[in-house]
Amino acid sequence: MKVYTQEEFDAIERDIYGVKNCPTGDYSQIKTFGEWCNFGSDCSFGKDCSFGKDCSFGKRCSFGEDCSFGEECRFGE
């Protein structure tokens, strides 16, 4: 599984709607994700990760210990 660095994550382009569609991979090295990120299935995140509001996460994503989630984040319906 590809391990993404912060620089590689930052370089992922946003679509015409402003959403950053992230491929399946290991995001354990990323500390800041920002807003409007969409992660596919089977993504993993390390401890002490923080996520901005309005992020969405695909099925079967796992989150490490001590992760924090931004205000107004929603999971599921």
Side-chain angles (χ1 to χ4, degrees):
M1 183 178 294
K2 167 98 174 112
V3 178
Y4 287 90
T5 65
Q6 185 72 54
E7 292 77 25
E8 290 172 319
F9 174 79
D10 292 343
I12 296 172
E13 294 187 26
R14 295 183 180 275
D15 66 15
I16 61 171
Y17 302 104
V19 175
K20 184 177 283 201
N21 291 297
C22 303
T24 298
D26 180 341
Y27 291 90
S28 60
Q29 303 300 308
I30 311 303
K31 296 299 178 193
T32 304
F33 291 92
E35 298 180 3
W36 291 97
C37 296
N38 181 19
F39 293 91
S41 62
D42 298 322
C43 292
S44 61
F45 302 89
K47 70 175 192 170
D48 299 323
C49 291
S50 62
F51 304 92
K53 67 177 185 172
D54 298 322
C55 288
S56 63
F57 302 94
K59 64 181 179 177
R60 295 196 332 247
C61 286
S62 63
F63 302 94
E65 63 183 274
D66 297 327
C67 285
S68 62
F69 300 92
E71 187 177 328
E72 298 176 19
C73 280
R74 286 172 279 187
F75 299 92
E77 294 182 8

